[in-house]
Amino acid sequence: MLGKLLASALFAGAATGLIVGLLQLLFVQPVLLHAELYESGELVHFGGAAISAHPDLPGFDPVRDLLSVVFTMLTYTGYAFILVALMLVAEERGAQIDARSGLIWGVAGFVAAHFAPAFSLAPEVPGVAAADVGARQIWWFATVGAAAVAMWLIAFGRNWALWGVAVILLAAPHLVGAPEPDTFTGPVPTEIGALFAARALGVGLAAWVILGAFSAFFLDREQRRG
Amino acid sequence: MKTEAQTVAATRSATLPALFAVILGVAVITMTGHLQAATLHDAAHDMRHATGFPCH
């Protein structure tokens, strides 16, 4: 059982991470590199002269970008361990797990691990003002944990009381509020920050849908092998 | 059709491996996404921003 679980998660996580790493390089990295020109002070807006919105960006950096892809593969393998484990538990309680239903698992995972924390702590581009990283990490883990339980209750709860608990778990972290900076000191134009958040969330949704489908597919295949 | 005993046994067979995998997964996410050790942070920097983790 454990072997099948780990094998499915490794296949699904590595394959997803490779695809997502490339998507991030294509869609997210250029926005990040653009922001870093402001973070480093090479470009300054709010000044006297108008600044081009299309500066020359650093190109492909083999070491930096390869590390990004490797760490994306590791991260989604970590998520895959959790996702496949939950699928296995659900399957033994009667849920059907296949690539098609895995798409919905992926959307639920995106809401729990990506969208729920982003609702108050939007994906941040380098250079923006932010509160203490330790405090934000604690809030992040609490929010993702609460949202994951909420998604499970929405999917498998059978009565209004459980669905009500799910709504409270989804809303509470945002009513309490995420750690915010005392003052705004970020040098990055708001247009870049907004584009970065949208790109990060869009690639995140693609990532989780792919992860859900692959996780279910490989788990199904491992179990068929007997 | 499964008997109740088989169902209970099957549930037991999944619970411990699932728990182990969840702990392993959280450990991996903590390492790649959250630990602030300088080398780890620098190597994972772009991924952390792109994935929406609190980075620095």
Side-chain angles (χ1 to χ4, degrees):
Chain A
M1 185 66 82
L2 184 60
K4 287 175 184 176
L5 198 173
L6 296 182
S8 317
L10 279 173
F11 285 136
T16 303
L18 182 59
I19 297 169
V20 174
L22 296 175
L23 284 175
Q24 285 178 345
L25 285 184
L26 195 59
F27 290 114
V28 187
Q29 189 71 6
V31 189
L32 185 148
L33 293 172
H34 193 168
E36 283 188 340
L37 296 179
Y38 288 92
E39 185 187 28
S40 67
E42 192 175 332
L43 292 181
V44 179
H45 73 138
F46 295 138
I51 297 292
S52 167
H54 306 282
D56 289 331
L57 297 177
F60 180 68
D61 180 332
V63 175
R64 178 177 181 172
D65 293 343
L66 185 66
L67 276 172
S68 295
V69 173
V70 168
F71 271 89
T72 306
M73 292 173 74
L74 285 171
T75 297
Y76 281 95
T77 302
Y79 280 135
F81 285 134
I82 300 168
L83 194 60
V84 174
L86 295 177
M87 284 176 172
L88 205 55
V89 172
E91 189 176 46
E92 293 206 332
R93 294 158 133 253
Q96 188 185 344
I97 303 295
D98 53 33
R100 184 177 288 266
S101 63
L103 296 171
I104 298 174
W105 278 82
V107 174
F110 168 74
V111 171
H114 214 135
F115 194 75
F119 190 66
S120 285
L121 278 186
E124 61 195 40
V125 79
V128 301
D132 172 61
V133 67
R136 283 182 294 140
Q137 288 176 332
I138 290 169
W139 188 89
W140 187 93
F141 273 107
T143 302
V144 170
V149 172
M151 297 315 285
W152 182 277
L153 291 179
I154 289 170
F156 300 113
R158 289 280 180 264
N159 58 61
W160 286 100
L162 291 177
W163 292 326
V165 171
V167 170
I168 292 168
L169 285 173
L170 283 174
H174 306 287
L175 295 174
V176 171
E180 300 280 357
D182 293 329
T183 54
F184 291 134
T185 56
V188 180
T190 179
E191 293 88 339
I192 295 178
L195 179 62
F196 185 85
R199 288 278 172 95
L201 286 172
V203 170
L205 176 57
W208 274 95
V209 169
I210 295 168
L211 184 69
F214 278 174
S215 295
F217 171 79
F218 283 115
L219 180 62
D220 194 32
R221 199 189 62 158
E222 285 295 315
Q223 288 181 322
R224 279 175 203 279
R225 280 145 63 113
Chain B
M1 200 176 111
K2 282 181 177 175
T3 67
E4 198 174 328
Q6 280 172 323
T7 309
V8 169
T11 306
R12 277 187 190 145
S13 73
T15 306
L16 276 182
L19 189 63
F20 175 78
V22 167
I23 292 169
L24 186 62
V26 172
V28 171
I29 302 298
T30 304
M31 187 200 75
T32 62
H34 297 274
L35 286 184
Q36 289 295 314
T39 315
L40 204 52
H41 170 274
D42 292 350
H45 173 269
D46 295 357
M47 181 283 292
R48 288 183 179 188
H49 278 282
T51 313
F53 295 124
C55 190
H56 46 64

